[in-house]
Amino acid sequence: MESGNRNDYQGDVTILYGHHIRGKRMYSSLSGYKNPSYYETYPYMYLYTPGQTFRVELFAGQILDGATGRFPLIFADETERTAWIREVLAVTTFDSGRRPADGERIVALCTCSYEYQDARYVVYGILRELEEE
């Protein structure tokens, strides 16, 4: 998790980093979202924490430069949030038809990518709390 994030997932954007290890281990499956048909098959994922389970409804995937790409953790206001979401959706690798509503929390799963030196691939999702069964 990004060091500036709260560990209770209550910030605007929570960033989770993981290594892209070949052989479908760790975050390697994230690269599947570069292909729109992969999203059609897997439009959401689950995030399990010791105290809670979340459903992550994916809405965008982005290749960005690891040296210059930016991840906001907290938005100053809804105007800034809307502009950032618009930027992400303009370059997404799949069309989810989803867009986070005002105030909805976002999780970003980030891993290395191989398009160019220091490339990263990020999959963004809307964090939904699930009730205990």
Side-chain angles (χ1 to χ4, degrees), residues 27 29-40 42-45 56-65 70-71 84-100 106-113 115-116 119-126:
Y27 270 36
S29 62
L30 288 182
S31 64
Y33 289 101
K34 294 175 188 175
N35 181 338
S37 66
Y38 192 82
Y39 169 79
E40 296 296 324
Y42 305 103
Y44 58 87
M45 59 183 67
V56 180
E57 297 179 1
L58 304 176
F59 70 90
Q62 176 185 29
I63 298 166
L64 56 81
D65 188 314
R70 67 182 185 96
F71 292 110
W84 177 78
I85 291 170
R86 188 177 301 122
E87 288 174 20
V88 168
L89 292 174
V91 297
T92 187
T93 58
F94 60 87
D95 182 9
S96 68
R98 286 192 178 119
R99 180 187 178 105
I106 297 168
V107 65
L109 296 108
C110 180
T111 192
C112 48
S113 196
E115 288 76 13
Y116 50 85
R120 300 290 183 266
Y121 186 63
V122 187
V123 175
Y124 300 98
I126 303 163

Side-chain angles (χ1 to χ4, degrees), residues 43-61:
Y44 58 87
M45 59 183 67
Y46 291 94
L47 174 62
Y48 300 96
T49 70
Q52 200 165 8
T53 300
F54 299 92
R55 179 176 161 137
V56 180
E57 297 179 1
L58 304 176
F59 70 90

Side-chain angles (χ1 to χ4, degrees), residues 1 8-9 13 20 22 24 26 30 34 36 47-48 57 64 74 79 88 107 109 114 124 127:
M1 181 181 285
D8 60 2
Y9 297 88
V13 180
H20 178 265
R22 288 178 172 78
K24 301 201 185 260
M26 299 223 18
L30 288 182
K34 294 175 188 175
L47 174 62
Y48 300 96
E57 297 179 1
L64 56 81
I74 301 292
T79 301
V88 168
V107 65
L109 296 108
Y114 301 103
Y124 300 98
L127 204 58

